[in-house]
Amino acid sequence: MQYRAHPEAETWGLAYNHDRENADMLSQEQLEEYRRMTPGERIALSLKMTAEQWPAMMSGTKEQIDRRFELLNRENDLGNANILAAFARLKEQEE
């Protein structure tokens, strides 16, 4: 998967994309490959990706690092809210 740099990536020292609307999507083959992974393989991949990104995530001033993690938290919260809203719609349809 290739990532395009976010406009502020240079300021943040990041090598990955937070601009989800313009992010490259996984191909069907990549999705299938991921689905075939065992839970152990998935966690190993996650840990590898975390280790690779850790230096970039922790670089910069305290304020830059704080802003970076605030953005990640906002994105995670938004994703979680969207999942919960989808579950609520499904529940309404069942009733």
Side-chain angles (χ1 to χ4, degrees):
M1 179 174 181
Q2 291 188 351
Y3 297 98
R4 282 193 278 271
H6 186 278
E8 294 183 34
E10 189 174 317
T11 304
W12 295 342
L14 298 179
Y16 58 93
N17 181 18
H18 281 290
D19 189 1
R20 300 295 188 224
E21 291 178 14
N22 294 319
D24 293 331
M25 300 302 291
L26 292 175
S27 69
Q28 196 60 36
E29 294 84 20
Q30 290 170 313
L31 288 171
E32 289 303 320
E33 182 180 341
Y34 186 79
R35 288 182 183 123
R36 286 190 299 270
M37 287 181 175
T38 65
E41 290 170 328
R42 286 188 203 123
I43 192 68
L45 178 61
S46 296
L47 292 173
K48 178 179 180 257
M49 292 169 60
T50 300
E52 290 172 353
Q53 291 299 319
W54 192 256
M57 291 295 298
M58 300 309 292
S59 68
T61 65
K62 180 182 180 330
E63 292 79 20
Q64 289 172 322
I65 294 169
D66 289 345
R67 279 197 330 259
R68 190 176 300 135
F69 280 92
E70 286 170 12
L71 175 61
L72 287 170
N73 286 332
R74 282 194 311 267
E75 289 179 341
N76 287 339
D77 290 346
L78 179 60
N80 291 339
N82 289 336
I83 290 170
L84 290 173
F87 283 150
R89 285 190 303 273
L90 286 172
K91 187 174 181 178
E92 288 175 2
Q93 290 174 358
E94 290 176 355
E95 294 173 352

